[in-house]
């Protein structure tokens, strides 16, 4: 399991996003992390579910990185989940391929943290908008990990951006390290 963590970046114009672009670069710098840029790999917006299931099969963790657009992820990420997390593979009869895998969100939002809540402009905490992903993890018997959220992405200071990138790298290294004992165990059982 050379790259046990799959980091899926979903941004329709990554070159224009200083935060998401920085986080994708941060993920690429962590050994054991495979970075999948959905809009680069699938410019036609059609996801090859079979190919993506093979990509996910040998991963122990899936991290989704995306900006919050109108209270959700960009559309191609939804397409990726729809096509990849199929019946009989991710859920349903014999659908156990994702069972026990770690599932984490890393999201960026243009709003400040105080904008999410009863008195904020969005009227709900950010967790309310992430509930479909948490339920997806539960439905597929995955381990839901606390999301990593970068607030005020457009107007934050460079130091804040860099610090958040370091925090992301730290979380990714933790996910890679979680896999190391499992990998050694598998290799030992196969006589490697």
């Amino acid at each position: 399991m050379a790259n046990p963590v799959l980091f899926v970046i979903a941004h329709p114009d990554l070159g224009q996003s200083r935060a998401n672009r920085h986080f994708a670069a941060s993920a690429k710098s962590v050994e054991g992390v495979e970075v999948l840029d959905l809009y680069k790999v699938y410019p036609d917006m059609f996801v090859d579910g079979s190919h993506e299931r093979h990509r996910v099969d040998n991963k122990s963790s899936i991290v989704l990185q995306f900006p919050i657009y109108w209270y959700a992820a960009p559309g191609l990420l939804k397409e990726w989940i729809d096509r990849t997390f199929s019946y009989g593979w991710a859920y349903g009869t014999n659908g156990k391929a994702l069972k026990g895998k770690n599932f984490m969100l890393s999201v960026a939002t243009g709003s400040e943290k105080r904008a999410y809540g009863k008195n904020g402009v969005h009227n709900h905490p950010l967790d309310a908008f992430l509930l479909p992903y948490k339920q997806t993890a539960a439905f597929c018997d995955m381990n839901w990990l606390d999301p990593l959220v970068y607030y005020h992405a457009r107007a934050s200071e460079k130091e804040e951006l860099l610090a958040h990138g370091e925090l992301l790298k730290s979380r990714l290294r933790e996910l890679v390290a979680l896999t190391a004992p499992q990998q050694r165990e598998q290799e030992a059982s196969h006589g490697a």
Side-chain angles (χ1 to χ4, degrees):
M1 191 179 306
N3 292 317
V5 177
L6 179 62
F7 185 89
V8 181
I9 176 81
H11 194 294
D13 195 0
L14 193 57
Q16 296 300 312
S17 171
R18 107 183 168 82
N20 285 278
R21 184 177 67 242
H22 179 69
F23 302 147
S26 296
K28 285 179 185 175
S29 74
V30 177
E31 187 176 341
V33 176
E34 177 185 346
V35 176
L36 170 62
D37 181 344
L38 286 181
Y39 282 87
K40 184 177 180 181
V41 174
Y42 296 109
D44 61 357
M45 306 290 282
F46 184 79
V47 174
D48 181 344
S50 176
H51 180 76
E52 294 305 317
R53 284 187 291 281
H54 287 293
R55 184 191 310 269
V56 170
D57 270 337
N58 67 346
K59 304 299 186 225
S60 62
S61 300
I62 299 169
V63 178
L64 306 181
Q65 171 70 51
F66 59 91
I68 300 291
Y69 282 171
W70 289 107
Y71 310 107
L76 189 53
L77 183 57
K78 176 74 164 71
E79 176 74 3
W80 184 81
I81 293 170
D82 288 349
R83 297 276 181 180
T84 305
F85 292 16
S86 64
Y87 177 82
W89 183 80
Y91 69 96
T93 306
N94 300 319
K96 301 292 182 203
L98 297 176
K99 184 176 183 174
K101 292 184 188 286
N102 298 310
F103 192 64
M104 187 180 100
L105 303 182
S106 176
V107 300
T109 176
S111 296
E112 295 178 89
K113 188 173 186 174
R114 65 185 170 166
Y116 291 95
K118 284 191 279 185
N119 298 321
V121 68
H122 302 302
N123 296 316
H124 302 282
L126 184 61
D127 287 349
F129 302 108
L130 303 180
L131 189 57
Y133 305 98
K134 187 174 186 177
Q135 182 56 35
T136 296
F139 194 66
C140 296
D141 290 325
M142 299 176 79
N143 302 320
W144 173 258
L145 304 177
D146 289 336
L148 192 55
V149 181
Y150 188 62
Y151 292 97
H152 212 216
R154 287 187 204 102
S156 62
E157 298 293 328
K158 182 177 181 179
E159 294 77 24
E160 293 173 292
L161 180 67
L162 295 175
H164 193 85
E166 290 302 314
L167 179 59
L168 173 62
K169 287 194 282 190
S170 176
R171 294 279 299 269
L172 293 172
R173 285 186 197 109
E174 288 172 9
L175 291 174
V176 170
L178 282 175
T179 306
Q182 296 168 354
Q183 183 178 356
R184 285 193 295 272
E185 190 177 291
Q186 287 176 347
E187 288 172 355
S189 70
H190 290 95

